[in-house]
Amino acid sequence: MEHNEEQKSLERFTEKYIKEIQGEVPSFNFTNSVMDTIIQQEAESAKVFEYTPLISRKVWMVLLALFIGFLVFLISISTSIFSKINFSLSFPEFELFNVFESVSIPKNIMYLITILTFLVLGQLYFFKKRFENI
């Protein structure tokens, strides 16, 4: 019983309070100002997702310079070392294409490889388009 009376008094209070509150009318330009705020927030959030490379251009240039320097160093050492050693750079003669003459691939496997190749290329194309739009 006590709970019902408490509930009724609470209902009377809320009804009285709601009657006293006057309805608010939004300003004339309310919708436009809300939409402008949303557009501004979207523009600010788009800046967050700007592409920044993991390795910067300067670091790539330094790595390239180090690699070229290392190659020049190896070539300078190798010419001094190999000038003392007599050797020939001629490759041994063997028939590489004769190895593949005995290999035969069934048509089903060739069709499967062709279809899988097109599917992989298609996926790469769609992934590329998908990540360009992000």
Side-chain angles (χ1 to χ4, degrees), residues 7-8 14-15 44 46 53 56 66 75-76 82 85 88 92 94 96-99 103 111 123:
Q7 190 74 18
K8 287 181 183 180
T14 53
E15 286 176 5
E44 289 174 0
S56 68
L66 288 173
I75 290 172
S76 67
F82 291 130
I85 301 171
S88 171
F94 63 94
L96 181 65
F97 297 108
N98 288 341
V99 173
V103 176
Y111 294 146
Q123 283 183 353

Side-chain angles (χ1 to χ4, degrees), residues 30-99:
F30 177 76
T31 305
N32 290 336
S33 64
V34 169
M35 292 307 292
D36 289 340
T37 306
I38 290 172
I39 290 171
Q40 182 182 8
Q41 287 178 350
E42 286 179 357
E44 289 174 0
S45 67
K47 292 178 184 176
V48 173
F49 296 109
E50 284 184 21
Y51 172 73
T52 55
L54 186 60
I55 300 174
S56 68
R57 185 177 297 266
K58 291 179 184 178
V59 173
W60 278 116
M61 293 302 163
V62 168
L63 289 174
L64 180 66
L66 288 173
F67 181 72
I68 291 173
F70 183 69
L71 284 179
V72 168
F73 176 72
L74 284 180
I75 290 172
S76 67
I77 287 178
S78 65
T79 55
S80 65
I81 291 174
F82 291 130
S83 64
K84 298 174 185 174
I85 301 171
N86 262 341
F87 70 94
S88 171
L89 286 177
S90 62
F91 292 105
E93 294 182 15
F94 63 94
E95 295 181 20
L96 181 65
F97 297 108
N98 288 341
V99 173

